[in-house]
Each structure stands twice: as C-alpha cells, then as structure tokens.
Amino acid sequence: MFILSSFKILFSKDKKYYQSLKNLLGFYPGNLSVYKLAFSHRSSAGEHSSGIKLSNERLEYLGDAVLGAIIAEMLFKKFPFREEGFLTEMRSRIVNRDHLNKLAIKLGINHFMPPMDVTTKNKSAYGDAFEALIGAVYIDKGYARARRLVLGRFIKHHVDLDEIEGLDVNFKSKLINWAQRERKKVQFELLEELDNGGKRLLRVRVLLDGVELAQGEDYSKKRAEQIAALKACESLRLE
C-alpha cells in the first residue's frame, strides 16, 4: 500500500505540494483535497457549482474542537494538582488567535495560502488555517495521528509551556477595554459562596449588556472574575 502511494505521489502533478506537506506534517497526506481546502480562506475562496463558497471555515470549526481536546488532555496530565481555572487559562493562552497566528507563521503555513489583502492578514487568517489543518488531519488520518502531530511536532518543538505559564494576562481589563470601544456595558456579579471542605469557593458571572456571558469559580473573588472574563473573551473570540 505504501509503495503504491509513493508511486502515485512520484508521478502526481501535485508532487511538490505533497512533499511540502510532508515536510510540515511528517507524513504524506492521503486526501490532498481536504488539505487544500484547509488553506482556502474565505477572503479568497472559490465557489461550488451550488453557489456556496468553498472555504476552510467548516474545517476550522472541526479543528478548533479537536485541538481544544488535545490541549485539554495534555494540560490535565501535565498539571495533575492544578485547579480547573488554571487549566482553562493555560488552554486559552495556547489556542488564542494571536498565539495561533504566530505559531502558523513559524510553521510556514502562510506559504500554503493564496495571497490575501493586508486587512485579512492582520486578523486571524493564519491561525484559522492552522485549526483547519488540524481538522484536515483528523478527517484524513484520524484523532490519534492528529494528536501525535499536535503534541509531538508542534507543541514539543514550537511552544514553551513554561513561558506561557509565566505570562500575566489581565482578561478582565481586556474585556472591559473592548466593551468600552464597542460602547457596551460589562458587569461582574457574585452569584454565591460555597463551602468546599471548609474553604469559601466563590462563583461569579460576567454580563454584557445584561446578558450572561460566562461564569468563574475560585477561592479568590479577583481570580474568579479573571476566569469568568477569560471564558467571556474566548466566547467573543477576542485576540
């Protein structure tokens, strides 16, 4: 089977593309079309005969879920004694759009994509393509291969977890500053105090124009608000 696949690649008109993906992923793709779709941003996407634009948005949606599960499992095992809030914050720092954009450029994913205007580049196109690529690998090779790729090739060689852990990101300020620019009202409310083995566990929620966005729990009110703000930033996809 491997010999047949290698023979097919050798005489394919996409031989250089296959090799470029092999250099990026560490293996030859099976279904090349799904990888090409992963690099098709909506700003430069073609159109299907049905009139629907063919872009990487659906693969991005899938890759986001797969990547989130892989990172969550990795952090759960790496930090066995840390609380849920810490794990959530670490995952957010790894998969946020700014970090994924930088990681995608470091990996050379930008070279697989068609030319885009400056405005598109400054947003999240490369990070979106990174997630879509993970979705493509999942479709083509399955979860186990996608997991090995993320952990063994991308995270291991290109992500410094100690550096990320040391970052001091104020998500509450980030959310409030965004809301001020958008002329929206942000509120933090204490919902309840729980007795957790003799310790006082606080649950807070954050509201945007009176609508709940997220909740956070911690033994410190300040920390609980940070966790709620982090989750709100994730739901709003704030960079």
Side-chain angles (χ1 to χ4, degrees):
M1 182 63 116
F2 178 76
I3 295 174
L4 286 174
S5 298
S6 300
F7 185 81
K8 173 186 170 184
I9 292 167
L10 182 63
F11 292 97
S12 169
K13 60 182 176 59
D14 292 309
K15 182 172 71 171
K16 288 184 178 179
Y17 198 81
Y18 270 110
Q19 189 58 52
S20 296
L21 278 173
K22 167 71 162 52
N23 294 339
L24 173 64
L25 304 173
F27 58 84
Y28 285 113
N31 181 358
L32 191 63
S33 62
V34 75
Y35 293 90
K36 288 184 175 181
L37 183 59
F39 301 124
S40 299
H41 190 264
R42 58 184 172 274
S43 65
S44 57
E47 197 169 279
H48 190 264
S49 57
S50 63
I52 299 173
K53 266 207 164 188
L54 294 174
S55 77
N56 62 3
E57 288 181 319
R58 282 168 52 84
L59 282 172
E60 177 198 339
Y61 158 79
L62 179 62
D64 175 65
V66 173
L67 180 63
I70 293 169
I71 298 300
E73 180 197 5
M74 175 196 71
L75 294 172
F76 182 83
K77 291 179 177 177
K78 182 174 176 60
F79 301 102
F81 303 109
R82 301 305 295 267
E83 72 282 357
E84 177 267 345
F86 169 84
L87 300 177
T88 299
E89 186 168 333
M90 280 291 289
R91 182 184 62 190
S92 176
R93 292 177 181 185
I94 294 171
V95 303
N96 77 69
R97 279 298 176 275
D98 182 57
H99 185 251
L100 290 186
N101 268 339
K102 291 174 181 175
L103 179 58
I105 292 170
K106 190 186 293 187
L107 293 169
I109 284 175
N110 50 310
H111 298 302
F112 288 87
M113 301 182 70
M116 294 180 290
D117 60 66
V118 176
T119 304
T120 303
K121 285 182 186 177
N122 286 342
K123 291 184 179 177
S124 60
Y126 299 142
D128 294 344
F130 177 84
E131 288 185 328
L133 175 64
I134 302 304
V137 174
Y138 174 78
I139 290 291
D140 185 38
K141 301 290 186 178
Y143 181 81
R145 178 60 70 88
R147 182 178 178 278
R148 289 200 301 274
L149 173 68
V150 170
L151 299 181
R153 198 169 180 91
F154 296 160
I155 299 294
K156 182 178 180 180
H157 298 293
H158 300 286
V159 177
D160 187 336
L161 292 177
D162 292 330
E163 180 182 326
I164 288 175
E165 184 180 358
L167 290 175
D168 184 18
V169 181
N170 190 328
F171 291 99
K172 184 177 179 180
S173 295
K174 186 176 185 178
L175 179 63
I176 291 172
N177 290 338
W178 172 84
Q180 289 174 343
R181 290 196 303 271
E182 299 295 321
R183 299 180 182 275
K184 295 180 182 294
K185 183 180 180 181
V186 171
Q187 295 172 281
F188 289 85
E189 292 183 352
L190 177 62
L191 288 177
E192 58 183 334
E193 299 181 16
L194 306 170
D195 183 7
N196 187 22
K199 293 183 178 180
R200 190 183 61 152
L201 183 65
L202 305 176
R203 178 178 294 155
V204 303
R205 67 173 179 170
V206 57
L207 301 98
L208 183 66
D209 289 340
V211 179
E212 182 179 305
L213 278 182
Q215 295 186 9
E217 292 181 359
D218 200 82
Y219 298 105
S220 151
K221 184 180 178 184
K222 180 180 178 182
R223 180 78 178 142
E225 288 179 344
Q226 281 291 328
I227 293 168
L230 182 155
K231 292 178 179 178
C233 288
E234 283 186 332
S235 69
L236 294 168
R237 298 176 74 94
L238 300 185
E239 296 180 15

